[in-house]
Amino acid sequence: MSLREGSLDPQADSSISSVPHLEAKIRQTHSLAHLLTKYAEQLLQEYVQHQGDPFGLPGFAPQRLPVAGLSAPASGHASLPAQERLRLDAAALAELSPLLDLVRRRQAELNPRAACLLRRLKDAALQARALGAAVEDVLSAQGSETRGPRPEPAAAAAAPAAAAGVFPAKVLGLRVCGLYRDWVSRTEGDLGQLVPGGPG
């Protein structure tokens, strides 16, 4: 008897659980977040290298410019239920995509020859959108309702700072790149709690 004729044919058993599908989706999304965590750190380093002094100097710590509608992961984030953490991750990533586009456009004016940086910023905006969508897919597969991305309030609120002057624009870009790294890393950690055999 061939496998197609036997009970191992998945189409022959409609009771097969969707759990393996969910586990595979979680693993794939976690792997993507892990990869993007490395890229986000590289982006931050590349950004600093192209801003000139005092950026990158030891001890330089500009005031943490607030970005309306988006902040770093809260200290109590880890204590929230898993689905709520993932919803926050997805929402932050949706906000970050247009913010990274905004930073890229400003850097294209300030550092038009920094091709690698501009490419990294463009890629990061796409990657943030892709990771956010993948997290929403995980939530949907879990049966959780997802909230659609809001109409880019963070990018709209940050636009005046980006256009205000060279130094404020550079500080804003530093803040956005830092938030991108923080949220991608947080997303990796949250998904890692759900990976079968992981720390969760």
Side-chain angles (χ1 to χ4, degrees):
M1 180 172 62
S2 70
L3 289 179
R4 181 173 296 277
E5 295 169 338
S7 60
L8 294 180
D9 182 358
Q11 294 181 346
D13 186 358
S14 60
S15 67
I16 287 181
S17 171
S18 62
V19 170
H21 173 71
L22 173 59
E23 290 182 354
K25 189 177 290 292
I26 291 172
R27 288 185 189 278
Q28 290 169 356
T29 308
H30 179 254
S31 294
L32 175 61
H34 178 69
L35 182 64
L36 296 189
T37 297
K38 297 179 182 179
Y39 289 170
E41 185 61 45
Q42 292 170 357
L43 169 63
L44 185 58
Q45 293 175 6
E46 182 92 15
Y47 183 87
V48 169
Q49 289 174 4
H50 283 89
Q51 305 314 307
D53 292 344
F55 293 84
L57 292 178
F60 175 65
Q63 183 178 359
R64 292 176 70 85
L65 185 71
V67 180
L70 183 65
S71 59
S75 57
H77 183 96
S79 64
L80 295 172
Q83 290 187 344
E84 181 60 24
R85 295 200 308 270
L86 290 180
R87 276 194 289 267
L88 289 171
D89 295 337
L93 291 164
E95 295 282 1
L96 278 160
S97 184
L99 280 168
L100 289 161
D101 274 333
L102 178 68
V103 172
R104 177 184 56 80
R105 291 194 298 270
R106 195 66 172 98
Q107 284 295 305
E109 299 171 0
L110 299 174
N111 291 301
R113 296 182 180 178
C116 184
L117 172 61
L118 297 177
R119 185 173 62 251
R120 283 189 190 276
L121 285 165
K122 181 178 180 180
D123 290 346
L126 297 172
Q127 291 160 354
R129 187 176 297 115
L131 180 57
V135 171
E136 289 191 353
D137 284 347
V138 169
L139 285 166
S140 295
Q142 291 177 323
S144 173
E145 292 183 5
T146 58
R147 291 191 289 264
R150 291 171 292 173
E152 304 181 5
V166 172
F167 189 75
K170 289 183 176 183
V171 172
L172 174 66
L174 181 66
R175 177 69 169 147
V176 170
C177 290
L179 285 170
Y180 177 58
R181 178 197 58 187
D182 293 347
W183 276 107
V184 171
S185 177
R186 181 67 271 174
T187 302
E188 179 190 0
D190 291 339
L191 288 164
Q193 296 292 321
L194 300 178
V195 172

